[in-house]
């Protein structure tokens, strides 16, 4: 069954970030479903993340540490990553963009290699 929004239109891009853990062990969830005109910027941000380097094992746990789950549904493809509290640059940029609701302009001087 195709994924649809509340208004019945097809959801072409959805990014969900979930944070669990911390002092109270609470779960927070943020999500964006950008308008067609904004999707290219979001796809670029998603594409900078090293999806192929995410390990299959669960991230390390520790007292009061956050764990992050990132899920991107783009038309017919879904990508998921489980990450620890120490997010490197491309992941941190994606997470912060979803939390604020809009991608930041790329910094040409930023080192996204990790």
């Amino acid at each position: 069954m195709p994924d649809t929004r509340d208004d019945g239109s097809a959801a072409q891009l959805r990014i969900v970030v979930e944070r669990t853990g911390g002092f109270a062990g609470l779960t927070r969830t943020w999500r964006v479903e950008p308008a067609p005109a904004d999707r290219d910027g979001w796809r670029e941000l998603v594409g900078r993340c090293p999806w192929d380097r995410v390990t299959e094992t669960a991230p390390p746990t520790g007292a009061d540490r956050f764990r992050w789950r990132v899920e991107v549904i783009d038309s017919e493809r879904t990508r998921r990553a489980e990450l620890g509290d120490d997010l490197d640059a491309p992941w941190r940029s994606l997470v912060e963009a979803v939390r604020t609701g809009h991608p930041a302009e790329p910094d040409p001087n930023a080192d996204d290699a990790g």
Side-chain angles (χ1 to χ4, degrees), residues 27-111:
T27 298
R28 294 275 320 260
T29 303
W30 299 267
R31 84 188 233 173
V32 293
E33 293 185 41
D38 299 328
R39 290 181 186 147
D40 287 343
W42 284 99
R43 285 185 176 117
E44 179 183 334
L45 193 57
V46 167
R48 285 189 272 171
C49 294
W51 295 92
D52 57 341
R53 289 190 273 160
V54 175
T55 61
E56 295 287 327
T57 60
T61 59
D64 300 337
R65 303 240 357 181
F66 289 121
R67 290 179 305 180
W68 299 89
R69 184 181 65 82
V70 179
E71 180 178 69
V72 177
I73 302 165
D74 191 356
S75 298
E76 308 253 338
R77 183 177 183 190
T78 299
R79 298 189 232 182
R80 290 183 185 91
E82 300 277 339
L83 306 162
D85 201 14
D86 53 343
L87 298 173
D88 58 359
W91 292 110
R92 185 173 47 252
S93 296
L94 178 60
V95 165
E96 287 304 313
V98 173
R99 289 176 67 185
T100 61
H102 54 84
E105 291 298 317
D107 181 355
N109 299 318
D111 178 16

